[in-house]
Amino acid sequence: MLYKNDNLFPILEQHADLKKRLFNGNFGLEKENVRVDEHGNLSLTPHPAIFGLKEENPYIKTDFSESQIEMITPVSGSVDEVYTSMENLQNIVSDRIRDEYLWPSSNPPILPAEQDIPIAVYQDPNSASRLYREHLAREYGKKIQLFSGIHYNFSFSDDFLERLHTSVGGEKSLQDFKNQIYLKVAKYFMQNRWFLLYLTGASPVYLPNFLNKTPNNEASRETSDLALNNGISLRNSHAGYKNKCSLHVDYDSFDGYISSIESWINQGKIDSMRELYNPIRMKNAHTDQSLAGLAKAGVEYIEIRSLDLNPFDPNGITKETLHFIQLLLVTGLLTESTAFDQIQQEQSDQNEERIASNGLTKPDIYVNGAEVPFDQAVEKLLTEMEHVAKLTDTTDFQSIIETQRDISQHPEKTIASQITATPKSFVSFNLEKAKTYLEQSMQNAYKLIGYEDMELSTQIVLKSAVTKGLSIELLDREENFIRLEKGNQVEYIKQATKTARDSYISALIMENKVVTKQILAENNIEVPHGQHFSDIETARENFELFADKPIVIKPKSTNFGIGISIFKDGFSQENYEEALKIAFSYDSSVIIETYIPGDEYRFLVIDGKIAGILKRVPANITGDGTRTISELIDEKNLDPLRGTDHLKPLEIIQKGPEETLMLSMQGFSMSDIPEDGQIVYLRENSNISTGGDSIDVTDLIHPYYQELAIKCAKAVDANLCGVDIIVSRETIANGPYAVIELNFNPAIQIHSFPYQGENRRIGDIILDFLFKDTL
């Protein structure tokens, strides 16, 4: 007991600061999915190498099998944040195993023979992780280990617990107080877990020849699958993933909790604490995960292990369920404890079995030692939870409770019932879901959800960092400034491509187009000839110098193709002066140089090697004979990959002065209707950042030009830069060309998600370059 009758409601009423912090907490999710092929067979391929060593990647590991991926979110400060983290992991993993699928059911797919199920492989074949899995295979069999689920990790905020300890902790140390708090919550959870199982159980249907023992109420389906008749969760039933016998523990004291587990280990019932398959466990993340480590360090958080994967949600669990579980745990903290001795633990186990095997019949439930009707037991629990829900207005818990009450009254609304009711076979139903979720992940592959305010290039690097298991810290979100760590190595990155590998002077050289051209020319690299002007009047006075010549007018020190006008077929003085106004609006100096005919290519050079090559096509639309240019622009801009501020792989086509000028040069206006199939260009410059199309041609460009791009980067001592080259004949060596620009902050999204062609995984290449000695 925390103190006399341990009802904490009076304490909350007396301390507004406690009430304010009651729902603050730390959240984490661990999700298991087996990988399958296109037919629903267990994948027998190794754990994808891109995720690195499973011992070292904190986000993406394996569970029992090499075929069973485990995704682990970082600790989050809210339900919304942890759900988003799992959504990102789901998308990242799906993207990297796109030839396979993540099986969305807790029950396994089509399995090979027992001996062919691969146990997770580790660098050290005699590692504790490998030996433990071999022990499980011997004790329980490999097939049963392929049950998958979700673990929900939770702790109250330290601030809340410290203040609560001050109020009611008595003579206990803070850690002893925490231990007792989490035991109290765990006991309440164990007593009421039957209802959470009713709501979240999602494994009533399974394949023949999977189980070693037959459930009491096994029934055949028309689809040749098997199901629990009126059942909810095979995984949580007596035939599911259980210890060989019930292993009850002492929830009255921390010493008793430790001693009871120790006794099971000493009796040979389990190998270690992690083999205790109770629905909830006490954990500490900063120990070796042994019982001795927990006894010494104390409880840091609790881990709920009974949650089936919800196949109707791509992340395996809904945000509403996460909120409901939090409320259940907070209710356990505040509600007065009741006895939970050996007999009552056995009754709690019976509640779980009744729901798992026959939950759709709404069986009677043991409450405080007596059997009561299901609806009465539900109402008692939800009333307690409603009392707690009134203590906060930060989450609409009342609406969540009403939803669960409705499901309790209508079993057909449970996840399990919906699964059983589908006419599709077990394999086809789950495979269809898996393929749908892969498609959804592919649609989000270019972004990190919840970080859309950051540059897309930075999001890409962050996703690669998660993939490779690097520690991540956002130092300045607005500036896209991040710190990455692997082992003892630390790297700082700004805007994805600004790193310690390039000097400040190299960036300044590339930023200044005049200096860049001079250095390239000194290295016998062809560049366009031209002049630069520091005031608009002098530039205007030199109109005759450029009249009737193909020219480019652009700001001296800008990026992303901003402020550039190109005249390749003549221009009027009015056109010339308008282009000057545009260029000078972006910089105090302007360059006017010779226009070089040909196609424009962006070569991305990283660490002296070509990482990707794009052909860049200027912003354009194709006429249909009925709609105006303005309307066709609007339609093209509906592409979900087009956005603004470089937050999507392609930029929307603008309708600004540059586009209007370009149209007027061709005799068009925004209101004109082009002929069917007629291509109309809105820009002369081909920058993707001004609405252009990106076409990956990395494998098609002659090596001569690739070596030329590498030479350009070396000329300014740049390890990471974009090289823009105009090429007339890209398939032959020594053809006419001109290097028009070097870019110190090249947009990597255009190579990672081109309009056409292959994703070059530039985020991976950057990190492999920065962490070449540790990855």
Side-chain angles (χ1 to χ4, degrees), residues 506-572:
S506 292
L508 292 177
I509 289 171
M510 289 184 280
E511 185 181 35
N512 189 305
K513 295 174 174 56
V514 173
V515 175
T516 299
K517 285 174 60 177
Q518 181 173 335
I519 292 175
L520 293 178
E522 290 171 355
N523 282 268
N524 299 315
I525 296 170
E526 292 292 331
V527 295
H529 300 292
Q531 298 184 34
H532 78 278
F533 298 91
S534 298
D535 67 272
I536 194 168
E537 288 304 322
T538 303
R540 283 173 177 161
E541 293 169 1
N542 281 271
F543 170 74
E544 295 299 332
L545 183 64
F546 303 105
D548 301 323
K549 296 178 182 177
I551 61 169
V552 177
I553 300 176
K554 60 186 178 181
K556 183 178 75 172
S557 301
T558 62
N559 227 335
F560 305 118
I562 297 173
I564 296 176
S565 298
I566 300 174
F567 302 108
K568 54 184 179 181
D569 297 316
F571 51 92
S572 66

Side-chain angles (χ1 to χ4, degrees), residues 707-738:
E707 291 300 322
L708 173 64
I710 293 170
K711 182 179 178 181
C712 291
K714 290 180 178 178
V716 297
D717 196 27
N719 283 301
L720 203 163
C721 75
V723 181
D724 295 340
I725 307 178
I726 298 291
V727 177
S728 296
R729 296 285 302 279
E730 72 277 5
T731 57
I732 63 172
N734 301 306
Y737 77 88

Side-chain angles (χ1 to χ4, degrees), residues 570-756:
F571 51 92
S572 66
Q573 184 158 353
E574 182 180 359
N575 297 149
Y576 175 77
E577 292 188 1
E578 178 63 22
L580 288 175
K581 288 180 184 178
I582 293 170
F584 272 106
S585 71
Y586 291 103
D587 203 334
S588 58
S589 294
V590 163
I591 296 172
I592 304 177
E593 62 187 17
T594 304
Y595 168 76
I596 306 297
D599 294 321
E600 183 175 340
Y601 296 87
R602 160 63 60 84
F603 294 73
L604 182 62
V605 181
I606 299 177
D607 193 24
K609 297 180 282 291
I610 296 295
I613 307 172
L614 286 177
K615 181 178 181 179
R616 306 195 300 188
V617 180
N620 65 88
I621 54 91
T622 302
D624 62 5
T626 60
R627 287 178 289 181
T628 66
I629 291 174
S630 179
E631 290 171 336
L632 291 167
I633 291 173
D634 292 340
E635 182 193 40
K636 192 165 185 176
N637 284 340
L638 292 176
D639 185 336
L641 292 182
R642 290 191 183 272
T644 58
D645 299 323
H646 317 294
L647 296 178
K648 290 191 175 183
L650 301 169
E651 291 290 306
I652 65 171
I653 301 172
Q654 301 287 345
K655 300 178 184 179
E658 291 94 338
E659 289 78 15
T660 300
L661 176 60
M662 179 64 184
L663 286 176
S664 68
M665 296 286 294
Q666 303 170 79
F668 288 116
S669 69
M670 287 287 179
S671 60
D672 287 330
I673 299 176
E675 296 178 6
D676 187 25
Q678 181 180 11
I679 297 176
V680 178
Y681 291 95
L682 283 302
R683 283 272 189 157
E684 192 68 69
N685 67 296
S686 56
N687 297 74
I688 309 306
S689 55
T690 55
D693 298 333
S694 52
I695 302 173
D696 177 70
V697 291
T698 306
D699 300 325
L700 304 177
I701 299 299
H702 195 283
Y704 170 81
Y705 298 104
Q706 299 188 38
E707 291 300 322
L708 173 64
I710 293 170
K711 182 179 178 181
C712 291
K714 290 180 178 178
V716 297
D717 196 27
N719 283 301
L720 203 163
C721 75
V723 181
D724 295 340
I725 307 178
I726 298 291
V727 177
S728 296
R729 296 285 302 279
E730 72 277 5
T731 57
I732 63 172
N734 301 306
Y737 77 88
V739 177
I740 58 173
E741 187 172 301
L742 301 187
N743 197 309
F744 70 94
N745 188 28
I748 67 172
Q749 64 265 31
I750 62 178
H751 297 278
S752 297
F753 299 95
Y755 185 67
Q756 295 177 13

Side-chain angles (χ1 to χ4, degrees), residues 103-122:
W103 188 249
S105 172
S106 282
N107 293 340
I110 303 170
L111 298 179
E114 177 94 6
Q115 65 270 19
D116 294 328
I117 296 174
I119 300 175
V121 176
Y122 294 86

Side-chain angles (χ1 to χ4, degrees), residues 749-768:
Q749 64 265 31
I750 62 178
H751 297 278
S752 297
F753 299 95
Y755 185 67
Q756 295 177 13
E758 181 180 343
N759 181 339
R760 294 296 167 175
R761 304 285 187 188
I762 303 303
D764 291 1
I765 296 174
I766 290 174
L767 297 184
D768 288 342

Side-chain angles (χ1 to χ4, degrees), residues 764-775:
D764 291 1
I765 296 174
I766 290 174
L767 297 184
D768 288 342
F769 166 50
L770 295 177
F771 290 89
K772 63 175 64 177
D773 296 325
T774 54
L775 284 177

